[in-house]
Amino acid sequence: MSALRVVHYLNQFFGRIGAEEAGDHPFTVKEGPVGPGAGLQKELGDGGTVVATLICGDNRAATDLDAFGAEVEKALREHKADVLVAGPGFNAGRYGLACGEACARAAAMGIPAVTALNTENPGLDLYRKKTYILPTTPTAVGMNETLGRLARFAVRIGRHEEIGSPAVEGFYGKGVHHTRILERPAAERALDMLLARMTGATFQTELALPPVDRVAPAAPIADVTKARLAIVTTGGIVPKGNPDRLKQSNSTEWREYSIEGIDGLEAGKYESIHSGYDASAANSNPNYVVPLDALRELEKAHAFGALYPRYIVTIGVGTAVVEARKMGREIAAALKTQGVDGVILTAT
Amino acid sequence: MTAKTLELRTFDVDRVAFGDRAALDGRTLTIDRDEVATLAASDPAFTGVDVILVKPHESVRIPQITDVVEPRTKSGGTGGVFPGLLSPVEPVGTGRTDRLRGVAVVTAGAVPWLGAKGLFVPHDSVLDMDGPGADLHPYADLHLVVLRFHFADGVDHEGYERALLLAGEKVARALAIVARDAEPTAVETRALSAPASPLPRVVYAYQVQSQGVFLRSRLYGRILDELQPSLLHPNELADGALTSGGLGGHGAKMHTWMHQNNALVERLMAGHGSRWDFAGIVLHRGHFYIYEDKQRVALRLAESATLLGATGVVFTLGGAGNNVTEVMLAIQECERRGIKTVLITWEHAGPDGSDYPLPFAVPEAVAIVSTGNLDEPLSLPAMARVAGDAAIRVRPEVGGMPFPIDAGIELERRTFYAGAANPLGFGRSGSVET
């Protein structure tokens, strides 16, 4: 089998142009391998030849990904690429985006592509559905080992070999799960897996759970007696009758309702539409979930500066993490523009 | 001490028909429709009942299911089936039990909402006996005796719940009693005698859901809303010590039939003494509101498994949501003690399958069997007939909206589909990642 024509993408730093000061370096193509490309070539062996190296400054690429992508496409065509390898991009944010975009463009042209990014790299979630991404270390300490995996993977996709599941093949996968009817009942699969574990045999989990996101708390408010506070709840308290027809679960929306001039939420005028808890206590006294009564007392006692005149509500049950994250960002941004210093978050 | 031993007699049924007297002739079960209707609807909570027969894989859609029960009765030994409900609280799981295999009683009907909203309503579901939906629940191969109830006014949800529970169990017991003098298809002796040679010891951590009148489980008739982890012998399941309850249900509901025939317990018993030593069941509940309560459950589970000498523990989930936390904390505690774990779970991966699949996780949960994504939409073709109302009620948060089911249907999520979560691993559903 003849050697594959491999094109390699690097940023300005690994492409030996310069460090941060060269971040605006324009898209450049060099013949043959550059920098880590030498290691890549060594790992490819007879399987492939690094025919060209594409180099672009991180700022240049990340600020105009469309233009960058167009340059990548042109270079891939000119060099008749069989396969594109990008990076590894480690945990470098802008570099990760460029690696992802370059690979996505290649894949869209029908040219197999692979990159390697650290799990924290924002490029991972943006591009995992469009290209193969292998895991790697946060920094270049794992360069040699990663180049080995990239080279082996590049040869396999370059030869259009069958690629198995992400768990087996060691790439991130699209992270998309489909329900299928398999050969054996789940109970049988589970007991075989348990027996394998108990007897020290190898086993393969059907579901790998990435580490749960941990959010670092914000710095404390310096002087809470001057702070403007807002109430944000996932407890599903809405004006009686649910005027905006919010959904009782799997929420994708949040709303603001005025609390201006009122000292507490009156039973009968507000209700819980949350489908995940017994709403009878909340309906008998909506302040249990939106503690407006207590906060008004504290406000009058000058325990804090002032209460934001609206409360924010969504329904926190069955909500997709991606939707929760989006709503969280929207709410935080909206409150920030209103000069809110702190938030009382109530869950249920 | 002698091991708890149960002689389980199975009577296969491959035909069910109405007739003028209840009988089992060979494999044909004859049912007296009026007798069943009178027995089922005797409670003042009902104004009447339709008794509907459904054949295996018949093109039928069954809506608004509350429970599914396998006909069983005791024909020897102490106690009776469904102890604490139909029978006194006496030891069960010994002596002799008769079961009709291939037929089940289904309690169904539009339970009045009585103005309830949110989680706390009788959730409507559907179940297809044919088409792609038939692969998602364990009932497609069975003859079903569907009891579609009509509900009286002036009764509260507790009244409806108890009436439905007892009706399903009474009819199931009555159907099984006719087998008493017939010839069983199979006779099996079940005990957890210690195996001759040392084998890995397996404990089953069995989580149930019990959160009030709409999502309820019972052990010997006792409601399990405050259950602390409790040891159970598999033979107690065989006699209906653990029953489902609650009004209506969702895709993760475990019906009484599933407890009676628990897919894991059946396999654990089959491999007992040859592949492993089945040490017993620890029954527990999730959905505690306070984190410390979740930790208490996890500690009691791990302590029980340790005392039982477990090498491994297999976990299943009771319900969807924060009950995953109790299980995950228990997995963590077991693994820290060197006890290997496997979890069977469905996923909440969002409609497109790309979301984080569970509400909580620990790094020690490294061995998981997935039964698929409960958030995935489901297209179901029209069935030739609907064994009940032509529409179910959805969107309780806006007071309910009718959702027609007498044509092809597009379910936004599988939570409306009875059995779709495959919570006890009966079905072959799984998850494939791309």
Side-chain angles (χ1 to χ4, degrees), chain B residues 322-367:
Chain B
N322 73 63
N323 59 307
V324 173
T325 308
E326 280 92 340
V327 166
M328 284 291 174
L329 292 174
I331 285 173
Q332 186 167 58
E333 186 61 26
C334 285
E335 293 279 348
R336 281 177 180 167
R337 293 170 184 227
I339 300 171
K340 305 295 185 195
T341 64
V342 168
L343 167 67
I344 298 181
T345 182
W346 58 92
E347 300 177 38
H348 279 299
D352 71 349
S354 66
D355 197 22
Y356 195 88
L358 287 173
F360 186 77
V362 295
E364 289 83 358
V366 294

Side-chain angles (χ1 to χ4, degrees), chain A residues 177 180 182 197 210 275 320-321, chain B residues 119 335 347 353 355-356 428 430:
Chain A
H177 294 204
R180 294 280 185 273
L182 307 180
R197 293 204 69 200
S275 71
V321 174
Chain B
L119 177 66
E335 293 279 348
E347 300 177 38
D355 197 22
Y356 195 88
R428 296 181 290 123

Side-chain angles (χ1 to χ4, degrees), chain B residues 63-142:
Chain B
Q64 299 166 318
I65 292 170
T66 279
D67 203 6
V68 183
V69 190
E70 185 173 84
R72 292 191 181 203
T73 187
K74 289 208 73 78
S75 58
T78 57
V81 287
F82 309 116
L85 294 165
L86 294 195
S87 312
V89 180
E90 287 176 348
V92 293
T94 61
R96 195 169 79 183
T97 298
D98 297 341
R99 65 184 283 244
L100 301 189
R101 183 166 64 187
V103 58
V105 175
V106 176
T107 56
V111 182
W113 280 8
L114 307 178
K117 281 190 174 182
L119 177 66
F120 289 79
V121 298
H123 285 283
D124 282 353
S125 60
V126 295
L127 181 151
D128 288 357
M129 290 294 278
D130 191 25
D135 284 335
L136 298 177
H137 58 77
Y139 309 125
D141 293 333
L142 308 181

Side-chain angles (χ1 to χ4, degrees), chain A residues 9 68 72 76 84-87 97-109 111-116 127 130-133:
Chain A
Y9 174 73
F68 168 76
V72 170
L76 290 171
L84 172 70
V85 175
L97 293 182
C99 288
E101 182 68 21
C103 288
R105 292 293 186 122
M109 295 164 71
I111 298 171
V114 60
T115 183
Y127 289 101
K130 297 179 179 170
T131 183
Y132 291 114
I133 304 177

Side-chain angles (χ1 to χ4, degrees), chain B residues 102-370:
Chain B
V103 58
V105 175
V106 176
T107 56
V111 182
W113 280 8
L114 307 178
K117 281 190 174 182
L119 177 66
F120 289 79
V121 298
H123 285 283
D124 282 353
S125 60
V126 295
L127 181 151
D128 288 357
M129 290 294 278
D130 191 25
D135 284 335
L136 298 177
H137 58 77
Y139 309 125
D141 293 333
L142 308 181
H143 290 270
L144 299 180
V145 180
V146 179
L147 306 174
R148 182 191 174 214
F149 289 95
H150 303 282
F151 297 86
D153 293 334
V155 178
D156 64 7
H157 280 137
E158 287 290 346
Y160 291 137
E161 199 258 353
R162 197 163 175 82
L164 274 174
L165 175 79
L166 294 177
E169 292 177 355
K170 277 181 194 167
V171 171
R173 183 175 63 177
L175 294 187
I177 283 173
V178 303
R180 196 161 282 181
D181 300 321
E183 198 57 40
T185 321
V187 180
E188 193 191 336
T189 302
R190 295 191 167 209
L192 289 184
S193 319
S197 58
L199 290 165
R201 274 173 76 81
V202 180
V203 165
Y204 173 24
Y206 193 165
Q207 191 182 48
V208 289
Q209 184 170 24
S210 201
Q211 295 176 268
V213 70
F214 305 112
L215 300 159
R216 183 171 271 174
S217 300
R218 288 181 176 82
L219 183 64
Y220 286 85
R222 172 79 184 182
I223 293 168
L224 299 183
D225 285 14
E226 296 296 329
L227 174 70
Q228 290 300 298
S230 186
L231 277 178
L232 200 65
H233 191 289
N235 286 359
E236 294 176 280
L237 291 177
D239 282 349
L242 178 64
T243 52
S244 180
L247 295 168
H250 50 68
K253 181 169 185 169
M254 292 183 277
H255 305 119
T256 297
W257 190 96
M258 297 185 186
H259 295 314
Q260 294 170 304
N261 292 284
N262 183 303
L264 268 175
V265 171
E266 291 302 304
R267 283 171 176 77
L268 282 165
M269 290 304 290
H272 175 70
S274 59
R275 301 183 77 199
W276 46 67
D277 181 9
F278 182 17
I281 299 165
V282 186
L283 191 74
H284 69 108
R285 170 200 185 267
H287 289 113
F288 282 97
Y289 286 152
I290 301 167
Y291 194 69
E292 283 77 4
D293 278 337
K294 296 179 181 297
Q295 291 173 306
R296 280 185 264 273
V297 170
L299 280 178
R300 291 262 53 75
L301 272 173
E303 201 60 52
S304 304
T306 306
L307 283 169
L308 288 167
T311 323
V313 180
V314 58
F315 289 84
T316 55
L317 294 178
N322 73 63
N323 59 307
V324 173
T325 308
E326 280 92 340
V327 166
M328 284 291 174
L329 292 174
I331 285 173
Q332 186 167 58
E333 186 61 26
C334 285
E335 293 279 348
R336 281 177 180 167
R337 293 170 184 227
I339 300 171
K340 305 295 185 195
T341 64
V342 168
L343 167 67
I344 298 181
T345 182
W346 58 92
E347 300 177 38
H348 279 299
D352 71 349
S354 66
D355 197 22
Y356 195 88
L358 287 173
F360 186 77
V362 295
E364 289 83 358
V366 294
I368 300 176
V369 165
S370 169

